[in-house]
Amino acid sequence: MDFFKKFSLEGKVALVSGCKRGIGKGMAVALAAAGADIIGVSASLELEGSDVEKDVKALGRNFKAYRCDFSDRKALYQFISEVKKDFPVVDILLNNAGTILRKPAAEHPDEMWDKVIEVNQTAQFIMTREFGKEMVERGYGKIVFTASLLTFQGGITVPGYAASKGAVGQLTMAFANEWASKGVNVNAIAPGYIATDNTAALRADNERSNQILTRIPAGRWGTPQDFGGPAVFLCSEASSYMHGTIMLVDGGWMGR
């Protein structure tokens, strides 16, 4: 096999959650550039004419949009049922949908905790189980979670988010332990500090933003485009011997 063909996703169908903007959009477009058709879903994704759809179709790939509130368990199962009916085979699952709610731990209400855990942890588990079991039956599949620096660290004022992203790291390894021998690769990408909606408040705080930039060896905030290469790699045959890995894309933050 030609070496570079190992990175091709021609003929593959990829489901990307949280694809409307930011990191999810960057990864969806990169998978399309590598040859995959994209099933996109976000809580507020336009069913026609979204920016991510335009970018994917500009690359000559197909795009099908869905909308789902991942904090609503019933809606999640309905979404999964619709996708399975429309797409009998999903080769790649990219679990990127997530939310973050900020409040000091002593004031962090149950409602915030419950929503973050439902979206970031429980929905990711259900999606992986429901699409992954069919990958196991077929003997092939690629699953990538979006983890976080808070998979490794505790963070400040985001206890629910930290707990959920710690769980994502454990789910990555737990699924990989069971499915590596079945032809299914399960890995994760852990973003560092990235210029997206989730970090808008941090970037607007000059003091906190400068503290963050001072620690990042690369000297800049990351961008959604920084995740295209890692996503294609983990979703392609080039990473066929990688299982249960949490790949840091953080500008060197964790090595500091």
Side-chain angles (χ1 to χ4, degrees):
M1 174 185 284
D2 178 74
F3 176 76
F4 291 104
K5 287 184 179 179
K6 291 184 177 182
F7 293 87
S8 173
L9 300 179
E10 289 287 340
K12 304 300 184 186
V13 174
L15 169 54
V16 183
S17 70
C19 70
K20 182 175 179 177
R21 59 176 71 87
I23 293 171
K25 179 173 181 279
M27 292 192 290
V29 173
L31 298 187
D37 290 325
I38 306 298
I39 304 166
V41 59
S42 290
S44 60
L45 180 64
E46 300 91 339
L47 297 181
E48 291 185 0
S50 66
D51 288 342
V52 63
E53 177 179 358
K54 291 174 184 175
D55 288 351
V56 167
K57 287 187 172 179
L59 293 165
R61 308 316 308 175
N62 296 319
F63 184 90
K64 172 67 174 176
Y66 295 86
R67 189 179 295 152
C68 180
D69 177 358
F70 287 96
S71 69
D72 182 334
R73 191 82 59 91
K74 183 177 179 180
L76 174 62
Y77 277 109
Q78 180 61 37
F79 160 70
I80 291 170
S81 177
E82 290 177 8
V83 171
K84 288 188 175 185
K85 181 177 65 176
D86 294 342
F87 295 89
V89 176
V90 173
D91 302 289
I92 297 164
L93 172 62
L94 211 165
N95 279 315
N96 176 70
T99 190
I100 186 167
L101 297 173
R102 301 178 185 276
K103 202 80 168 178
E107 304 164 19
H108 208 82
D110 290 355
E111 294 78 15
M112 279 190 174
W113 173 273
D114 290 344
K115 181 172 182 176
V116 171
I117 294 297
E118 190 70 27
V119 173
N120 294 6
Q121 178 178 332
T122 305
Q124 310 301 322
F125 168 74
I126 292 171
M127 290 267 285
T128 303
R129 182 190 65 203
E130 293 302 306
F131 289 105
K133 63 186 178 184
E134 296 182 353
M135 295 177 181
V136 169
E137 290 174 2
R138 292 192 298 269
Y140 177 85
K142 301 284 185 175
I143 299 172
V144 179
F145 288 91
T146 296
S148 168
L149 292 180
L150 299 197
T151 300
F152 310 97
Q153 300 176 323
I156 300 171
T157 74
V158 287
Y161 185 82
S164 69
K165 290 302 184 177
V168 163
Q170 295 302 115
L171 283 174
T172 299
M173 293 183 282
F175 278 113
N177 287 343
E178 294 192 37
W179 292 352
S181 65
K182 311 295 184 182
V184 178
N185 296 79
V186 185
N187 294 290
I189 295 173
Y193 284 92
I194 313 301
T196 66
D197 291 350
N198 276 357
T199 60
L202 290 176
R203 287 181 287 116
D205 182 333
N206 288 334
E207 182 179 357
R208 184 75 177 108
S209 180
N210 288 334
Q211 289 173 345
I212 289 169
L213 284 173
T214 298
R215 175 169 168 167
I216 300 173
R220 67 173 177 86
W221 289 76
T223 70
Q225 291 69 39
D226 289 319
F227 294 83
V232 169
F233 172 60
L234 289 179
C235 292
S236 72
E237 288 306 302
S239 60
S240 62
Y241 197 58
M242 291 183 68
H243 298 277
T245 296
I246 303 172
M247 179 186 290
L248 285 160
V249 182
D250 65 349
W253 175 278
M254 287 297 293
R256 191 64 175 255

